[in-house]
Amino acid sequence: MKTSAKRGHRSRIALVNAVPVTLFLLVLFVYPIVGVLSLSLEGDTGGFTLHWYTDALSGVNLSVLISTLRISAETAVLSLLVGFGLAHAIARMRPVFAALAMLIVVVPHFISALVRTYGWIIMLGEHGLINTLLTSVDAPGAPYSLLYNETGVVIGTTSVMLPYTVLILQGVMRGVDRRLLAAAAGFGAGRLTIFRRVYLPLVAPGVGTAGLLSFILCLGYYITPALMGGDKQTVVAALIDQQVMKQDQWNSAAAFGVILLLLTFAGLGVLGLAKLRRTKAHARRSSS
Amino acid sequence: MMELPATRAGNVARAVSATAILLFLAMPIVIILVTSFGADGIGTFPPKEYSTRWYEQMAAPGGNWATSIALSSLVAALTTVFSLILGVTAATALARGRLPLHAAVYGLVLAPLLIPQVVIALGLFLFFEPAGMLGSPLAIALGHTVLAAPIAILIMISTLRGIDERLEDAAASMGASRMTIARRITFPLATPGLIAAAVFSFITSFDEFFIAQFMSTPDTRTLPVLVFNALQFDVDPTVTAVSAVLIALAVVALALVALVRKLGGHRHEQQGVLPVEPLT
């Protein structure tokens, strides 16, 4: 009796408490996004049209979309490689150093991306720190042009995405049962074989999640490409900003927004499906 | 792979590459801090001469920078209040109650962290523009709350889950009323989480660029919008000092959260701090 009364009370309290956030997000998050969707399908004089989408997927606009996808992919791959190396090293450090390293990973995440991007601009310029160093050691071809091109954008964006990949990979690597690796070694497997056949399959889900997530987060990212890219390195988010602020082309901006949204949903869908498959496989294994 | 014999060459290679990557993360911040004390006209590193002139210029009363720092502070304070209200109520529903449609509400709460911010910003622009509310601190704060509230909610959920409910049951069995329990048991135990939620809401808003950019007018530009414009169009060396202040703000905020958690005796892992965690 008493427990069921408590339960009824609990679901009433939960319902009442869920109201503010639900209302808030429906009005200021869901409704505005529906507004973007409907604007993207609306002709100049009202009525339904797909004109803004065909416009977004042709000519210069299409090339902006493709270069956004390319920069996102490059950033995702680079932050995976760098993040894997760092997370792997942290997993083997002594606890004090590991804690210090994690601090250097996490603190920048909370410092404005604008500020970090500005730091990169100062560092990567023709007379910046990196080029000065490279010239002083007589690196072939130095100074390099590292700023206002795609190289600069990818370097800057990678440093913004890196904390995410390191944290995800760090979590997965901590979860690996080290006894499996020792067992493989006991059976005579070499270091490379153990890495390839045992370790990598165990961390693969985390690698996939980290890569896809940095790709998704890059798609709509703007600050670093806008400040570190050249005139040609426009990304979709920058285009949307220009169209709204300077050209009053809201419909076109909305169509680009919906395209970004769809790409994000596709990425999240892949993540969700992979997780579902793992859960099912896990359930099968534990039931048999 | 601790069980395997490590080779010395492997150890050295790993230490060198880890150091290089950590430098990669830390260098831009160090560079800004040093450059901000440089006396040279444009950001050069290392500076030839040191001074605090950019800090003085930033703080000059009535200047662009001082005005936008005031606006950003107001917006961030409003955002913090809104996010805490939503954070406490939503977390109570999601962590404690038996909520019908639990998954749907949880998904709705996480969505703003994953949807491209430019799309949210565009949507809010279309929402507030017809109402003539562009540039209003209240409107910008409401927009920022869309991004800050989910973070506050995640922090509060992990805080509430960390509180042993038997303490509340024990108080109830001794005849304490619900109000007394909330005031004397739950609230004190949840205080470190509340402070963390407030701090993260504040910096989320103070650092936010996209929504502020879409919702600002030439007279009402938040600090990140002004920094962005300064970096894009004219290189005003004051930006280095402003950037250094933003770095200091983030470090102080994180130190505050760490201190409060330590005093609160929270031994369990820090959770809900990065929006990615629920995905993994």
Side-chain angles (χ1 to χ4, degrees):
Chain A
M1 261 313 271
K2 202 181 162 195
T3 33
S4 85
K6 190 177 164 187
R7 204 174 287 163
H9 171 71
R10 293 201 129 192
S11 63
R12 265 198 315 281
I13 285 203
L15 267 179
V16 171
N17 277 306
V19 170
V21 75
T22 311
L23 272 182
F24 178 83
L25 288 176
L26 285 178
V27 174
L28 281 167
F29 174 66
V30 177
Y31 178 72
I33 287 178
V34 173
V36 173
L37 181 65
S38 77
L39 191 67
S40 74
L41 294 166
E42 194 180 292
D44 271 333
T45 52
F48 174 85
T49 178
L50 284 176
H51 167 75
W52 307 113
Y53 288 92
T54 52
D55 188 48
L57 295 172
S58 60
V60 184
N61 286 344
L62 182 65
S63 69
V64 171
L65 190 62
I66 290 172
S67 76
T68 306
L69 289 169
R70 192 181 57 239
I71 290 172
S72 302
E74 286 164 352
T75 302
V77 170
L78 195 62
S79 31
L80 255 192
L81 287 176
V82 177
F84 193 96
L86 184 58
H88 191 65
I90 291 176
R92 299 194 56 169
M93 282 178 192
R94 264 178 275 157
V96 185
F97 291 114
L100 186 68
M102 285 312 281
L103 203 65
I104 300 178
V105 172
V106 173
V107 171
H109 177 78
F110 291 100
I111 292 172
S112 165
L114 275 166
V115 171
R116 286 179 284 154
T117 302
Y118 186 27
W120 277 115
I121 294 175
I122 297 177
M123 253 160 78
L124 292 180
E126 203 184 330
H127 303 292
L129 184 66
I130 304 276
N131 267 323
T132 312
L133 274 177
L134 289 173
T135 322
S136 68
V137 297
D138 283 325
Y144 303 102
S145 53
L146 300 168
L147 202 53
Y148 307 120
N149 56 27
E150 199 164 316
T151 314
V153 172
V154 173
I155 292 176
T157 316
T158 299
S159 82
V160 175
M161 298 301 156
L162 203 53
Y164 289 99
T165 39
V166 174
L167 279 168
I168 295 176
L169 292 172
Q170 185 51 37
V172 182
M173 286 174 182
R174 251 202 322 247
V176 169
D177 189 342
R178 304 260 151 197
R179 286 171 301 180
L180 293 173
L181 310 177
F187 283 116
R191 303 174 62 84
L192 202 65
T193 315
I194 297 176
F195 183 77
R196 199 167 49 85
R197 303 274 306 266
V198 184
Y199 191 66
L200 219 46
L202 285 171
V203 297
V207 172
T209 305
L212 212 50
L213 197 82
S214 32
F215 180 77
I216 293 171
L217 291 173
C218 270
L219 283 176
Y221 189 57
Y222 171 50
I223 291 172
T224 310
L227 295 176
M228 294 181 72
D231 297 332
K232 287 179 219 139
Q233 256 69 43
T234 312
V235 289
V236 172
L239 203 62
I240 294 178
D241 185 27
Q242 276 170 25
Q243 285 174 333
V244 172
M245 297 298 161
K246 302 205 181 93
Q247 298 159 5
D248 275 340
Q249 292 185 343
W250 299 5
N251 303 78
S252 177
F256 271 113
V258 174
I259 291 171
L260 280 186
L261 207 57
L262 292 176
L263 287 169
T264 306
F265 283 147
L268 291 176
V270 172
L271 270 184
L273 278 181
K275 192 170 181 183
L276 199 67
R277 254 182 50 198
R278 277 204 303 282
T279 321
K280 275 191 181 156
H282 189 73
R284 262 203 308 279
R285 265 205 304 278
S286 43
S287 70
S288 62
Chain B
M1 284 175 268
M2 266 177 308
E3 292 77 3
L4 302 176
T7 60
R8 170 171 282 200
N11 281 341
V12 170
R14 209 169 27 249
V16 168
S17 63
T19 313
I21 300 167
L22 290 171
L23 273 178
F24 174 77
L25 281 163
M27 266 322 268
I29 296 157
V30 175
I31 296 263
I32 291 284
L33 288 176
V34 175
T35 312
S36 70
F37 290 101
D40 324 35
I42 35 164
T44 42
F45 182 89
K48 292 182 187 69
E49 224 181 303
Y50 290 86
S51 88
T52 53
R53 57 191 275 211
W54 310 123
Y55 288 90
E56 287 153 24
Q57 202 148 317
M58 170 185 72
N64 269 346
W65 294 107
T67 313
S68 75
I69 289 173
L71 174 67
S72 278
S73 306
L74 171 64
V75 168
L78 286 172
T79 303
T80 306
V81 172
F82 298 152
S83 313
L84 280 186
I85 294 171
L86 294 175
V88 168
T89 51
T92 306
L94 289 165
R96 283 299 179 80
R98 300 160 45 81
L99 182 66
L101 294 175
H102 183 280
V105 176
Y106 194 65
L108 181 66
V109 165
L110 290 186
L113 299 177
L114 295 165
I115 300 295
Q117 286 183 14
V118 63
V119 181
I120 302 176
L122 179 60
L124 287 167
F125 172 83
L126 298 174
F127 184 84
F128 283 113
E129 203 271 346
M133 282 179 78
L134 292 186
S136 132
L138 177 67
I140 303 174
L142 286 170
H144 281 176
T145 307
V146 174
L147 296 180
I151 297 170
I153 293 171
L154 290 178
I155 294 173
M156 287 318 294
I157 287 177
S158 91
T159 304
L160 288 183
R161 288 213 178 118
I163 295 175
D164 191 339
E165 282 186 59
R166 285 173 302 183
L167 294 172
E168 294 164 12
D169 292 343
S173 76
M174 305 242 221
S177 70
R178 289 209 176 95
M179 266 320 281
T180 312
I181 296 173
R183 195 165 51 82
R184 302 278 303 266
I185 312 270
T186 319
F187 182 74
L189 289 173
T191 305
L194 276 170
I195 293 175
V199 168
F200 285 121
S201 302
F202 193 91
I203 33 178
T204 301
S205 168
F206 205 84
D207 277 351
E208 202 284 333
F209 166 71
F210 258 120
I211 292 174
Q213 159 87 343
F214 274 71
M215 312 244 311
S216 67
T217 56
D219 315 322
T220 54
R221 288 186 294 187
T222 64
L223 193 60
V225 175
L226 205 60
V227 170
F228 183 84
N229 285 329
L231 290 180
Q232 197 172 35
F233 301 117
D234 48 276
V235 178
D236 172 356
T238 320
V239 176
T240 52
V242 176
S243 301
V245 168
L246 284 172
I247 294 171
L249 181 75
V251 171
V252 168
L254 287 174
L256 181 67
V257 170
L259 184 73
V260 163
R261 294 221 162 184
K262 198 165 177 184
L263 292 180
H266 276 241
R267 287 296 165 98
H268 62 92
E269 295 247 323
Q270 200 170 338
Q271 267 185 335
V273 164
L274 282 182
V276 292
E277 274 153 331
L279 266 178
T280 54

